[in-house]
Amino acid sequence: MSEPINIAFLGLGVMGGPIAGHLARAGHSVTVYNRTAAKASAWLDRHQRDGLAVAMAETPADAARGKDVVLSCVGNDADLAEVLFGAQGAVAELCPGALFIDHTTVSPETARQVAKATSARGVLAVDAPVSGGQSGAEAGALSIMCGGKDDALAAARPIMDAYAARIVHVGGPGAGQGAKAVNQICIAGILGGLAEGLRFAQQAGLDTDKVFEAVSGGAAQSWQMVNRWDTMTRNEFDFGFAIDWMRKDLDIALTEARAHGISLPVTALVDQFYASVQAKGGGRQDTSALIRHLPDGSST
Amino acid sequence: MSEPINIAFLGLGVMGGPIAGHLARAGHSVTVYNRTAAKASAWLDRHQRDGLAVAMAETPADAARGKDVVLSCVGNDADLAEVLFGAQGAVAELCPGALFIDHTTVSPETARQVAKATSARGVLAVDAPVSGGQSGAEAGALSIMCGGKDDALAAARPIMDAYAARIVHVGGPGAGQGAKAVNQICIAGILGGLAEGLRFAQQAGLDTDKVFEAVSGGAAQSWQMVNRWDTMTRNEFDFGFAIDWMRKDLDIALTEARAHGISLPVTALVDQFYASVQAKGGGRQDTSALIRHLPDGSST
Amino acid sequence: MSEPINIAFLGLGVMGGPIAGHLARAGHSVTVYNRTAAKASAWLDRHQRDGLAVAMAETPADAARGKDVVLSCVGNDADLAEVLFGAQGAVAELCPGALFIDHTTVSPETARQVAKATSARGVLAVDAPVSGGQSGAEAGALSIMCGGKDDALAAARPIMDAYAARIVHVGGPGAGQGAKAVNQICIAGILGGLAEGLRFAQQAGLDTDKVFEAVSGGAAQSWQMVNRWDTMTRNEFDFGFAIDWMRKDLDIALTEARAHGISLPVTALVDQFYASVQAKGGGRQDTSALIRHLPDGSST
Amino acid sequence: MSEPINIAFLGLGVMGGPIAGHLARAGHSVTVYNRTAAKASAWLDRHQRDGLAVAMAETPADAARGKDVVLSCVGNDADLAEVLFGAQGAVAELCPGALFIDHTTVSPETARQVAKATSARGVLAVDAPVSGGQSGAEAGALSIMCGGKDDALAAARPIMDAYAARIVHVGGPGAGQGAKAVNQICIAGILGGLAEGLRFAQQAGLDTDKVFEAVSGGAAQSWQMVNRWDTMTRNEFDFGFAIDWMRKDLDIALTEARAHGISLPVTALVDQFYASVQAKGGGRQDTSALIRHLPDGSST
Ligand SMILES: NC(=O)C1=CN([C@@H]2O[C@H](COP(=O)(O)OP(=O)(O)OC[C@H]3O[C@@H](n4cnc5c(N)ncnc54)[C@H](OP(=O)(O)O)[C@@H]3O)[C@@H](O)[C@H]2O)C=CC1
Ligand SMILES: NC(=O)C1=CN([C@@H]2O[C@H](COP(=O)(O)OP(=O)(O)OC[C@H]3O[C@@H](n4cnc5c(N)ncnc54)[C@H](OP(=O)(O)O)[C@@H]3O)[C@@H](O)[C@H]2O)C=CC1
Ligand SMILES: NC(=O)C1=CN([C@@H]2O[C@H](COP(=O)(O)OP(=O)(O)OC[C@H]3O[C@@H](n4cnc5c(N)ncnc54)[C@H](OP(=O)(O)O)[C@@H]3O)[C@@H](O)[C@H]2O)C=CC1
């Protein structure tokens, strides 16, 4: 374990709440901020009961003031801009030598801008989007893809060790977000194929358990197949990583691609199919609900 | 090991040659037929040198005559029709009680017709497409997805054990081919995403090794990512499962889908992208050469 | 008008019935054949009442025997093969010097085979798919795209003048069908865009009449926009050219493309969206029903 | 003709230059502003030589000061924001009762914000994207799709009559931009089909002139087919509406669709294919250069 550090944590959502908890349990002194204060109070109660060194603040600025390390895990680019650069934003309070780690999935471009703005203040910054989902956050076993300078990573690693199963330093500022975009692009294609494969099996009257047994061990295998085939066959989608989040991430990928002259036809197509599932009310369902866009034989 | 059996094997290509060899080494008496006789002679020489009970025949009919079990592994639906129902086809020689196993990837519809035709003669039939590729065939470690009646499977299992790592009885006649179609559909989507993800990484200037490290352990993981990322980054495609074969298989899937009223947009799209790669001369390259369809920044 | 000729006409469907009528009214002696005899009887009654020189036959062979010109307009490639080469097929009755005109939409490959088979008998052949629909057939104002040798076209033109507004000799055998494939490919893209454009207008709350007024006069104009926008806004699809026919035609285009190494991604995609509309029961609806595949805000 | 009016015109590009000229020739007093001053000087010279009442200003604010009507035709949303709301922006100079007409293609959302901001100052606003291209602008024969309140339209019509062939009042603020988005969506699909249809014709060895003759008169007809087939067959693309602009417009459509939960798969796909053509250096070529994304048989 690392030396106890004075930490601020901004954003106590599905991912941020558990991460902040791991930091407190690691012995750090953690001051949390959440837009909806009730969530911060509840978090505080829970962790104070365990005798941990925790506090809460009313604004990002208040939370960040005088801290050695500030972390954030909010929703999207605009949200990050608000907690960092808004009227009560944290950046103005960051002192030279402080470290800023962002776990939000935002665009590489935003990450590069944040790195520039913090660097101008002598602050080290790491863009550090995660994968592993809610369960990974709770278990403290996230995969973290990092962008930033070497010294920023060196400073961030011991902090993130409290909740990471894997930390990869991908490259300079924005590279963590770039890797996350790659991750989401790959998933879009995988689910595009998986949805069609399973629907084909169902509509062709095949035993889907047997098909899984037959195809899951070879060249068609994927994490999504191993972990979602079963729930998909049962039309269970109310868990996991939400389509609304996925579309945000695919928008990031498509926008970055546009800037770099990269063509992403499969990704763009799957993204539009997700729009169809959103239109059916599936926005908060797991990304595997993509299959709902394919006709299932119940003529409508 | 099972009792020595009189076997005919039709089609000594990349897959059939090694499979027939495993059958001979398992102690069976194997008579081979190949369209191009030279390949059959070479196979015969190699296996006679090892003192195995092997022979060759000039026609499928000659090969099949009086055998207990006939296997085939030829190219496509038309090829199978020729070796079974052509002027010198094997079917006319199949006796009641004989067993027919087909390892060719053909359409479920063709598999059902073969099952019907053989069943009319009192012959047991199994459609048994494989996955695992040339290396799986050579190592005797194929995954086999089977369609057919229970008694046909019961008879076929001990034979196929000579070269299978996994045998799954998916369902009745055609179900093996149905599962294979699902397999290829899933792969089409996976490679669609993987190609775009990797191209994005390259064009965005990311370190592709680091990106792999960051994304290959989680929700974006796939067999294709684990086994092809590296070769794709080096533009190495002259190995593996050929795009020409893949398009044959996707045509099977799309045709079967058409018959069942199933919509396969991602599959159909990736199939057309493969047409672009074929147009660039990539027909014999591994399916991961799909990435060649995406611009790589070398303006042309 | 041309000299009265002894004509056989095979296939009295939506298109064939009216075409055969125009031939009789042009003064030719017309013997019709239809698989479902009742349709032929009804056609016969109607045209005998008008005092025309018409007759019916029980088989294609009976109809074709001794005729100078044989025309056909049946459903698809298999249907054409049956009326031409089946047990009671017309080809065996075609004499040297006779003319065969096929109005069915079939594959260029089938058209070339028919041309070869008839040419071997000294028969002139024209593949002559039409556009203009039921109303064009009834009004005798079809557009006909022709493939065949010059002498075949020279012989066919005066016959087809009875019901054509435009006859284009595109090229040798199969070229008429090739042009028809181009026609259907273009329509697939047009409707793909039109459906999305109209749905966008509806979902964005725009006045669709005003949008039509604004966009129908310029670079976004198409025959489909001019003739289908209005019916699409009213969800009227029970007329026109059926999706089931369209998918047959797109299958022809995609299969021909496969043979020539041509990539048709938009076409392939729209074809799959048509599968979704078929799954909703829209197979017999006009191709403009493509829009039904797009969510319309009524969450389901 | 309407009464002479004091007009400011912002943005003298390919479209704006000729439009401003028509306004001057209509007898209005026109003060122009262009970011690159040289272009404004040249425009001024040309029109002063004709004895017209023209002037130029150094900033949008200077141009707009005291004018009755301000028009703009700049590049994109950000550009419009700059000339309106930037440090030297025009909005601050708009007086109650003035009229603002924007001919830039921007997002409906931006148009609504502009309408709101100007309305707060008692200014009438019309979003008025055009179609007809450079030749339409020069000939004074543009199609204009308008959004805005009735009184704004009433005021704007006599002004725009100087260069419009057609003015359609589509609806309230943003509706003009909405219609323009529909326009571009329709074109994306049309060109998607047209490119594949023509490539098919070429690769299948058909005579493209004959195919055009056969298909351009019926259900496959489109403005694009009539006006671009010929140039596409000759690989002539250095004219017309640039792909870079088209992608900006498709981005607007896709972003608006995202906000409204609309699914635009064909549009999204064609947009990605345009990325491929941009990667080949075709960004400034006409939208019909989409065909360059399809293999043409010259293996590379
Ligand atoms: N959920 C998952 O499985 C995964 C999520 N991610 C990414 O992690 C990030 C967070 O996801 P998750 O925790 O699920 O999201 P939640 O919606 O659960 O939490 C978001 C948090 O951000 C806060 N927030 C949002 N906007 C603002 C703002 N403008 N100002 C201040 N606070 C704000 C919210 O506050 P309030 O409580 O007031 O709403 C909330 O605390 C996202 O970028 C997501 O894409 C990455 C991998 C997996
Ligand atoms: N290669 C792979 O990695 C995999 C292949 N498969 C499937 O297995 C099947 C065989 O593939 P593979 O072994 O690679 O193919 P090959 O081309 O190497 O072999 C095909 C064999 O079939 C014979 N054949 C083809 N047509 C005829 C015919 N009309 N009459 C008689 N014999 C014929 C060929 O004879 P000849 O020697 O005269 O050409 C040859 O022996 C295919 O269906 C393929 O899709 C499945 C999984 C993996
Ligand atoms: N409808 C349209 O708007 C257009 C159609 N076409 C093309 O024209 C062709 C005909 O279309 P349409 O007239 O609408 O179709 P219909 O289904 O109305 O007519 C088909 C005709 O073919 C006959 N037929 C089908 N199969 C056989 C067979 N195996 N043996 C003998 N007769 C057979 C049918 O006989 P029976 O009466 O016994 O069923 C019927 O007379 C199609 O290829 C279509 O794609 C082209 C342009 C427009």
Side-chain angles (χ1 to χ4, degrees), chain A residues 108 111-112 125-131 143-150 152-154 156-157 160 166-183, chain B residues 197-198 200-202 204-216 229:
Chain A
R112 284 186 292 262
V126 177
D127 52 291
V130 303
S131 83
S143 246
I144 314 186
M145 354 201 156
C146 303
K149 302 211 171 123
D150 287 344
L153 259 291
R157 271 183 198 276
M160 298 190 297
R166 187 202 299 232
I167 296 170
V168 180
H169 183 191
V170 181
Q177 298 295 352
K180 178 74 183 187
V182 173
N183 196 74
Chain B
L198 174 53
F200 180 100
Q202 294 173 322
L206 299 171
D207 178 326
T208 57
D209 287 349
K210 290 294 178 185
V211 172
F212 177 80
E213 205 185 323
V215 304
S216 61
W229 181 275

Side-chain angles (χ1 to χ4, degrees), chain B residues 134-160:
Chain B
Q134 178 169 1
S135 60
E138 288 168 356
L142 292 169
S143 246
I144 314 186
M145 355 202 157
C146 303
K149 303 211 171 125
D150 287 344
D151 51 356
L153 259 292
R157 270 185 198 276
I159 311 285
M160 298 189 298

Side-chain angles (χ1 to χ4, degrees), chain A residues 11-16 33-36 39 73-76 78-79 82-83 103-106 130-134 180 240-241 245 248-249:
Chain A
L12 298 174
V14 167
M15 302 299 287
Y33 157 78
N34 195 66
R35 182 175 53 181
T36 308
K39 240 189 252 175
C73 189
V74 293
N76 59 28
D79 299 332
E82 200 175 318
V83 299
H103 290 311
T104 317
T105 301
V106 297
V130 303
S131 83
Q134 179 169 1
K180 178 74 183 187
F241 186 66
W245 277 146
K248 168 184 72 81
D249 293 359

Side-chain angles (χ1 to χ4, degrees), chain B residues 224-256:
Chain B
Q224 298 287 339
M225 180 186 273
V226 172
N227 291 279
R228 295 288 183 269
W229 181 275
D230 210 45
T231 46
M232 288 167 81
T233 61
R234 293 198 305 270
N235 289 316
E236 281 177 23
F237 305 117
D238 293 328
F239 69 99
F241 185 67
I243 285 175
D244 290 342
W245 277 147
M246 184 62 167
R247 288 206 77 198
K248 167 184 72 81
D249 292 0
L250 294 179
D251 191 25
I252 290 172
L254 290 163
T255 301
E256 181 82 357

